[in-house]
Amino acid sequence: MSFSILAAATAVPAAPTRLDPLTLFLEADIVVQLVMAGLLLASVWVWAIIVSFIMKMKRLNEQNRHFEKSFWRSDDLEALVGAEGKSVPSGRVAAAALGEWRRSTRNGVADRDGLRQRLASALDAAVTHESDQLAVQLNFLATVGSVAPFVGLFGTVWGIMNSFFQIGAQSNTSLAVVAPGISEALFATAIGLFAAIPAVIAYNRFSFRVNGFENRLYRFADRFHASLSRELEAE
């Protein structure tokens, strides 16, 4: 009976059968922990941008479709733009053109070609501003996509250096000495890729959607510019 109790007390714990990410994080060197924590925060922020951007684009597309449909049917563009235009990209583009139209025709039109050029410039500037506002958040995705793998690699290099230091300190080249440190170090690279891959995919996809949205605004601006040009010729 005593021998069985002694054997149970001195039994070696069973080796883990799979990786435990939390254990790898908690047992890592402080530098590697900071790298992992920074990459995890970046990954959370990337996914927050992805979700918010998808919702934002869906809302803007719906608002634009509704506004443009009402815009081309309206008999009073000034009233429509004043009531709904401030919250819709197409409305702000139209407001820029109407503002230039009012300023240039206040005392009559002396130079029709000059007015057409000023209207085109106002419309182009408004469209560019709207597309730039949409693309602001994409800069963070591009940064994470390009930098995160290298930050993770830095954590990996630091962890491997620390493992080799342990070999020298313990004068033991056994794999059991260096394996845990190397696993923790490689986990930093894995987290870097976990943050970078969605960021790169989202950046490419969202850049395409921003370009499509910008092209749609340009089509609206060109159509409105043509409408104002016809009105200018009728005067």
Side-chain angles (χ1 to χ4, degrees):
M1 184 68 176
S2 60
F3 288 106
S4 62
I5 296 176
L6 181 63
T10 58
V12 178
T17 58
R18 61 186 178 85
L19 291 176
D20 184 355
L22 182 60
T23 300
L24 290 175
F25 175 79
L26 294 176
E27 295 182 355
D29 182 80
I30 182 63
V31 174
V32 182
Q33 284 184 341
L34 291 175
V35 169
M36 291 180 182
L39 290 172
L40 286 173
L41 289 175
S43 179
V44 171
W45 190 243
V46 163
W47 282 105
I49 291 176
I50 290 173
V51 173
S52 65
F53 191 86
I54 290 174
M55 296 175 63
K56 183 177 183 179
M57 288 302 300
K58 181 179 180 180
R59 184 181 71 254
L60 289 180
N61 282 322
E62 291 177 353
Q63 290 176 342
N64 261 13
R65 281 194 295 268
H66 174 75
F67 176 81
E68 290 177 16
K69 185 177 180 180
S70 302
F71 184 84
W72 299 120
R73 294 180 177 179
S74 176
D75 295 327
D76 189 352
L77 296 182
E78 292 278 359
L80 177 65
V81 172
E84 302 180 15
K86 295 182 179 180
S87 61
V88 183
S90 294
R92 290 190 287 268
V93 171
L98 289 175
E100 181 61 37
W101 176 271
R102 286 193 300 270
R103 288 189 295 270
S104 299
T105 59
R106 185 176 304 162
N107 299 319
V109 179
D111 184 1
R112 286 183 170 81
D113 290 336
L115 175 54
R116 289 190 183 92
Q117 292 177 2
R118 289 193 297 273
L119 289 172
S121 298
L123 288 167
D124 288 345
V127 171
T128 301
H129 176 74
E130 293 297 329
S131 60
D132 287 345
Q133 290 293 106
L134 280 177
V136 167
Q137 291 181 316
L138 302 188
N139 292 331
F140 183 79
L141 297 181
T143 301
V144 172
S146 59
V147 173
F150 295 100
V151 176
L153 183 61
F154 168 75
T156 297
V157 171
W158 185 274
I160 291 176
M161 289 170 56
N162 186 57
S163 297
F164 280 111
F165 177 79
Q166 295 299 325
I167 291 176
Q170 300 182 23
S171 300
N172 188 351
T173 59
S174 172
L175 186 62
V177 175
V178 297
I182 293 177
S183 297
E184 297 155 6
L186 292 174
F187 187 50
T189 297
I191 296 178
L193 294 175
F194 178 77
I197 291 173
V200 171
I201 295 174
Y203 176 78
N204 292 331
R205 179 59 181 167
F206 292 163
S207 295
F208 177 78
R209 294 188 66 179
V210 169
N211 289 336
F213 191 82
E214 183 180 21
N215 290 335
R216 180 171 180 175
L217 288 178
Y218 271 123
R219 289 192 294 271
F220 172 80
D222 290 342
R223 187 178 175 185
F224 189 36
H225 183 268
S227 177
L228 291 176
S229 295
R230 286 192 298 270
E231 184 173 343
L232 184 61
E233 291 174 355
E235 292 186 356

